[in-house]
Amino acid sequence: MRARSMVTALLTGAGFALAGLLGTGTASADVTPLIVGGSDADQEYSFMVSLQRGTGGHFCGGSLIKPDWVLTAAHCVDGTSPGSVRARIGSNDRTQGGETAAASEIVVHPDYDGQSAGADIALVKLSAPAKSAPVSLGSTTDPGTKSRLLGWGQTCPERGGCGAPVTLQQLDTQVLDAAKCTDIDGSVELCTDNPGGKAGACYGDSGGPQIVRTGSAWELIGITSRSGNGDPTCATGPSIYTSAPAYSSWISQHAG
């Protein structure tokens, strides 16, 4: 098994690694949300999305980038029927609050193959525009850029070692030089630090946002993709995030 597919399985519940580290469209019921070493969200994020099955179970995160479009990871929704996906938007509680909308269309980047680095990005069109305020795409992704991770992924590093939190978690970190991660395409992916060597994204965080503060607003720079060292135990190394700015033209092509 190639390093990327192993990591994906880890992130989704079968792997925090790539799809697993974060969650996948084929993830089983044990894929739950939480960031290791983070804390309860200290504010409301109007653009934060919990992608859920028809039964209400969270399987991946996402970001509202237009009133009717959610940006997430390709491994979260590849091969998934839009009719089986719902979005809860703008609530720190993945079980209630905010607003909900059904998915009407899923667009996976054509270069995504689940094996090669890059292209782990997808768009989910909502059946009706949300009232919540979307997040804008950022542009600064240089090493040293201070950022924040958001998600409902597992909070302990070993897969299945703990339950999922209901409350959204956040973690402040930074972008690293791409050389700090393995099996990464530095032109379209971000290597993201694991503060203290023990904090970072984990199973259930897939597809969720990496954001930066610009003035009084947040901007989106990354989408949770996979482990940056191929280890199925979360937060033992950096994480890899798909660079949203790198795919801005593709996003605009489909979402306007």
Side-chain angles (χ1 to χ4, degrees):
M1 178 182 290
R2 294 187 59 180
R4 172 167 174 124
S5 58
M6 177 189 72
V7 175
T8 301
L10 296 175
L11 296 181
T12 53
F16 167 80
L18 254 195
L21 199 98
L22 319 166
T24 78
T26 57
S28 57
D30 69 346
V31 177
T32 54
L34 271 200
I35 286 177
V36 174
S39 60
D40 288 354
D42 62 6
Q43 59 192 273
E44 295 287 337
Y45 299 94
S46 62
F47 53 85
M48 187 66 202
V49 175
S50 168
L51 292 178
Q52 304 182 351
R53 301 299 182 194
T55 56
H58 168 96
F59 67 91
C60 271
S63 302
L64 186 73
I65 58 166
K66 297 284 184 178
D68 55 348
W69 285 99
V70 173
L71 191 64
T72 187
H75 74 256
C76 286
V77 293
D78 187 32
T80 299
S81 167
S84 66
V85 178
R86 294 187 63 82
R88 184 175 297 280
I89 307 158
S91 175
N92 288 354
D93 185 328
R94 62 183 173 86
T95 66
Q96 62 182 352
E99 53 186 317
T100 59
S104 62
E105 181 183 357
I106 293 175
V107 183
V108 174
H109 196 284
D111 293 339
Y112 176 73
D113 62 10
Q115 298 290 324
S116 308
D120 190 10
I121 186 170
L123 286 159
V124 177
K125 185 175 177 61
L126 303 178
S127 58
K131 297 178 181 179
S132 299
V135 63
S136 299
L137 297 188
S139 59
T140 303
T141 58
D142 296 332
T145 298
K146 303 299 182 184
S147 62
R148 175 170 291 182
L149 311 181
L150 300 175
W152 285 281
Q154 199 173 290
T155 50
C156 60
E158 291 78 22
R159 182 188 171 203
C162 59
V166 169
T167 302
L168 181 67
Q169 300 292 293
Q170 65 182 41
L171 174 68
D172 290 331
T173 181
Q174 64 177 328
V175 177
L176 299 176
D177 187 280
K180 299 291 186 181
C181 285
T182 58
D183 297 308
I184 184 175
D185 182 345
S187 66
V188 293
E189 296 182 315
L190 308 178
C191 184
T192 302
D193 194 18
N194 57 321
K198 57 182 180 180
C202 199
Y203 300 100
D205 285 320
S206 287
Q210 180 175 12
I211 53 177
V212 296
R213 173 75 84 172
T214 303
S216 59
W218 291 102
E219 293 183 342
L220 178 69
I221 63 167
I223 303 140
T224 320
S225 178
R226 62 193 187 277
S227 162
N229 65 351
D231 192 334
T233 300
C234 304
T236 58
S239 299
I240 294 175
Y241 280 67
T242 300
S243 171
Y247 288 98
S248 59
S249 294
W250 178 81
I251 293 170
S252 296
Q253 176 186 348
H254 294 281

